[in-house]
Amino acid sequence: MSPHPFGVFTAAVIALGALLLPADHIAAQQQATVTGQVVGARGGNPISDVQVYLVENQRGVLTGSNGRFLIVNVAPGTYTVRAERIGYATAEQTVDVQGGSPAVVNFRLEDEALGLDEIVVTGTAGQARRREVGNSISQLNVSEIPSPPSNVDQLLQARAPGLTVTQGNGSVGGGAQIRLRGAVSVSQSNQPIIYIDGVRMRSGSYARNQQASSGAGRGNNVTASPLNDINPSDIDRIEVIKGSAASTLYGTEAAAGVIQIFTKRGSSGAPRWTVQMDQGFSRLRPFAPDVDVRPPSEWEDPNAATYTGPLGSYSYKYLNMEPYLRDGFRQRYSASVTGGSENLQYFVSGQFDANDGVLPLDEEDKAGIRGNFTFTPLNNVTLQVNTAYNRTDITGTPAGNNAQGLTLNAFRRERNYFGDPNPDSIRKVLDQDITTRIDRFVLGGTLTYQASDAFTNRLTVGYDQAVQDNRNIRKFGYFQFPGGVLYTGAHSFEVLTLDYVGNYDLELADDYNLTLSVGGQTVTNNERAVRGEAQNFPGPGNPTLDAGTTQLTYEDRERTINAGFFGQALFGIMDRYFITAGLRMDGNSAFGESLGLQAYPKVSVSYVVSDESFWGEGMGDLKLRAALGQSGRAPGTFDAVRTWEALGYGGLPYLEPENLGNPDLGPERTTEMEVGFDWAGFDNRVTADFTWYRQKTTDALFNVRQAPSQGLPLSQQENVGEMKNEGIELNLGFALVDQENWGFNLDGNVYTNSSEVLDLGGAAPFSAGGGWVEVGYPVMAARGTTWQNPDVTADPVQCSDTTPAGDPCYNLDQVLGPQQPTFVLGVRPSLRMPYGLELSAMGEYQAGHYIQDGPTDNAVGRSIRWPTCSDYYLLADVGNRDATTAEQRFNCEASLLRGDVIRPADFFKLRDVTLRVPLGDLIPRSSNAVLTLSGQNWYRWRNDEFPVFDPEMVTNTGFDNQNPGITEHIPPPATFTASLRINF
């Protein structure tokens, strides 16, 4: 049997590390070792991933999941052994090492909730201690998250205030919409930019698998996320900065925030293996009221005054989808190894996922491998290389909003496109092949050169490439297109990053320090797509485009370059007063030709009050902070130039005007101020992080009407608008019970957001991406129907100046509120029990926003009997329509329904419940093992005015879509996972 490529690769890495060991290291194999265990001071539980090293020569290792460590080949002498980990106070011990015998050092680390000396990278020029940073940074340490997340979207969900992650679709392979502090644009993407190990990656969604000539609901109604190509088990930590006050150094593209992912690194020492197996299933939870809406002709007793008989063969709580649903089996297998020498450390991992969806054709297979290497050829030179390759194969169910969509036809029962609710008829739509293959390769290298104790240089080069192959076939003999239809799309996405930062530390005098930083960055995005369609094939088989009698082709190419440079000065006094000032200058290929470079300034202050002599020892740690900064959002690739569309008629080519062009077009500019504090007290048993923020976007890009005499389209983007966001973020943590064998923690966060359109630059109010934009109203507002006396029993009429005060009437297209939540509350309780058992939960409540219910609107408008109208049917079906209210008639009679159905989207979800069971060394030859049982999204509460579907069901036409509207798709399912993690 041929060797597995993963095993060959791992063996090669270990062999390379051995070859790079210097001779004196090999000769030192007989020298002594330093060993021990690191546990928590409170519960006494082992702590993994603690960096334990000898201060004198920086040699060290990471602790395993059992808290143990072993530093080998230590020459005799006296050493200071230091233990460091984020969230714990650094500890040191002095040890005498004797030749040939082990020296034992054990640590009990105290919690350090505030972590003022923790190192952060995102939003800073080089590394910075948290005490020096004047803006808020949320840091997620993956090792502290109890449940094994299925993807990075789930990993981020409900973890930090100001961060909302909306998983809007129940089909496999779908990505999530991510928002940081609401929306800062109505025309450009509000998805934050993403970095992985310093390398910029694609932030937007992959291409949707749908025909270019068909509607948006075609295919499996899913867009995949590049973020979910990353194996969550490979991630060490994630840093999140939420606005322009922190993202200035990222320039033109960072107004919506920045998320940076740091994957795991190797450590010197013998190889340490980790294997993990996850098994589980997903199940769709009910999403409609379980009421019978059959007409009287289907009653068992047609003469009865109310419904009689059983509910029938359909489960109305699934809107007739039950014959097609299943429990989707989920499985994941992963393995990693870490180790190395003083010169070379490595982390190598591999994974395989196989997930079935709840819809009948849904399947997702993933495979990936990662290799992270740290090479130190000289004492002052370090090279870090990060590589990853992933392959994703998605098979989808036709579940979109169209005539060949399973969900649409099931929802509409007898009024579907078959005129027949029989599942055997509806299953004909499943005779489609909808497949997507994504090959993703990421390569990054960071060279750090310590020219002197004061001068540090860091150069990062990165390349992120994704190749996507979409294929959508309605086979020969398909019931609506007997000749068959084929769509294929070949897409390539490339991001090239080049980033340099230099830092020079100056000690001006005792207790006065100055760090000067300069740097530059360029990010190049290339997107290419070749798409084709064909129809009417000569016979069955696996068709190609040239086999169809009708053929269409499309080609798209886009290239954008953003480049800039910056300077920053960080002035520190007595290691507790810090002032930072910086300036970023940017150019972008999407700017108008006459615009030139754009400047983005920043300033921040940080004050560690608890380091003052007047601060009492029992008052805890306190840091005050404030920041003011700018960043931007570039226009679209071709928005600034005059463009034409090439067309043809009668065999002759011609050009049609497409875009007027604007040589002065520039970026949207967001200025943000934030003020807050970080506090930990009562022996670190209570923590609080508070931030007030205010964002103002100027030069917002709106489509402005142009003079018809120019002979081009009547609108053109211009920098004319203004809008704002403001709110608070509060993160609280309480260690309510803290005994050796028992502990109970309660953590939570609160986030608010209030947005308003301030100026349209003279433009008329307009709709953009499904939201309404008008001065004085929330950004991207939802418009719907408001009522006067809706409970009066009468036919509804539209309100006018002559409508009597007591009569029922309605007003159409009234602004109801924002589409993004204005209030979010997260709660995370955890219980620590004897024998190391841990039980944790996470819940999230969102409120204050509205969502469009498209299926209800479409169904009632087609006279389909719909569960939201069951109370109306109970009266009207037995001839008692006169007892129905005006609002009931308006919402349930096709002849009276007007406008969109808009509902308040307040909801609560129990995101996660997890039980961790440590198995110790119960498994032979293992050093530690943990069994984890977790369930996600099994409980959901929604407000009384939201009777059907799920308030998180955003339209999955891409993450940049601004409209969180429901179409004919299913909500995300609940999942259960059993995970076994073993360390060797």
Side-chain angles (χ1 to χ4, degrees), residues 51 140 193 271 488 731 756 966:
Q51 182 72 45
L140 311 178
I193 60 175
T488 185
N731 198 68
E756 182 183 354
I966 301 171

Side-chain angles (χ1 to χ4, degrees), residues 282-539:
S282 57
R283 176 178 297 173
L284 191 63
R285 304 292 292 157
F287 56 88
D290 197 10
V291 294
D292 194 337
V293 294
R294 292 175 299 164
S297 60
E298 297 182 18
W299 298 359
E300 290 186 0
D301 181 4
N303 298 316
T306 59
Y307 297 113
T308 59
L311 291 180
S313 60
Y314 296 104
S315 176
Y316 295 89
K317 59 189 177 181
Y318 291 99
L319 287 181
N320 317 308
M321 283 291 296
E322 190 169 32
Y324 321 100
L325 297 176
R326 63 182 182 181
D327 285 347
F329 179 54
R330 307 173 61 85
Q331 54 186 322
R332 167 179 289 169
Y333 307 92
S334 63
S336 65
V337 59
T338 182
S341 66
E342 293 182 47
N343 294 347
L344 175 67
Q345 296 89 45
Y346 57 85
F347 171 83
V348 179
S349 71
Q351 70 164 118
F352 172 74
D353 294 29
N355 301 319
D356 296 331
V358 296
L359 293 176
L361 302 181
D362 276 15
E363 294 181 4
E364 179 187 43
D365 293 329
K366 289 185 176 183
I369 188 168
R370 171 175 295 278
N372 290 348
F373 309 95
T374 303
F375 180 48
T376 310
L378 300 172
N379 290 334
N380 59 348
V381 176
T382 302
L383 175 62
Q384 294 177 340
V385 178
N386 308 292
T387 62
Y389 170 74
N390 298 84
R391 166 166 285 185
T392 301
D393 287 291
I394 300 172
T395 301
T397 301
N401 178 19
N402 65 90
Q404 291 102 51
L406 172 66
T407 46
L408 181 145
N409 284 285
F411 287 175
R412 296 183 182 179
R413 295 193 67 214
E414 70 280 352
R415 290 185 179 271
N416 59 27
Y417 283 90
F418 297 92
D420 182 5
N422 190 320
D424 290 336
S425 297
I426 296 175
R427 284 194 180 96
K428 294 177 182 178
V429 304
L430 300 180
D431 192 21
Q432 302 185 43
D433 291 335
I434 305 172
T435 59
T436 294
R437 166 165 286 184
I438 302 170
D439 289 282
R440 176 91 176 276
F441 175 71
V442 180
L443 173 63
T446 299
L447 180 67
T448 303
Y449 172 49
Q450 187 84 29
S452 66
D453 290 341
F455 189 25
T456 303
N457 300 269
R458 187 192 71 200
L459 176 66
T460 299
V461 179
Y463 179 68
D464 179 9
Q465 182 194 54
V467 177
Q468 180 179 3
D469 181 22
N470 288 335
R471 197 165 177 83
N472 193 323
I473 305 175
R474 278 163 281 174
K475 302 174 183 178
F476 181 85
Y478 188 75
F479 74 100
Q480 284 189 338
F481 294 94
V485 181
L486 166 65
Y487 163 76
T488 185
H491 302 261
S492 175
F493 309 96
E494 297 175 337
V495 184
L496 179 63
T497 305
L498 180 63
D499 191 320
Y500 166 76
V501 177
N503 291 282
Y504 192 80
D505 296 323
L506 291 170
E507 187 172 344
L508 304 178
D510 290 344
D511 296 327
Y512 291 87
N513 299 91
L514 177 64
T515 300
L516 299 175
S517 303
V518 295
Q521 180 190 72
T522 178
V523 177
T524 302
N525 285 273
N526 279 306
E527 296 187 19
R528 296 183 297 275
V530 177
R531 297 168 292 159
E533 301 177 24
Q535 296 184 19
N536 297 323
F537 303 109

Side-chain angles (χ1 to χ4, degrees), residues 796-860:
V797 297
Q798 192 159 1
C799 296
S800 67
D801 294 338
T802 61
T803 304
D807 287 1
C809 68
Y810 59 86
N811 284 298
L812 298 175
D813 296 327
Q814 303 297 300
V815 173
L816 302 178
Q819 295 182 339
Q820 292 292 322
T822 61
F823 179 81
V824 179
L825 172 67
V827 181
R828 300 184 302 277
S830 61
L831 175 66
R832 177 170 49 83
M833 297 172 283
Y835 306 106
L837 296 172
E838 294 183 22
L839 178 65
S840 62
M842 181 173 66
E844 185 177 37
Y845 171 72
Q846 296 186 13
H849 57 307
Y850 292 80
I851 191 171
Q852 179 184 355
D853 181 356
T856 296
D857 187 13
N858 293 333
V860 175

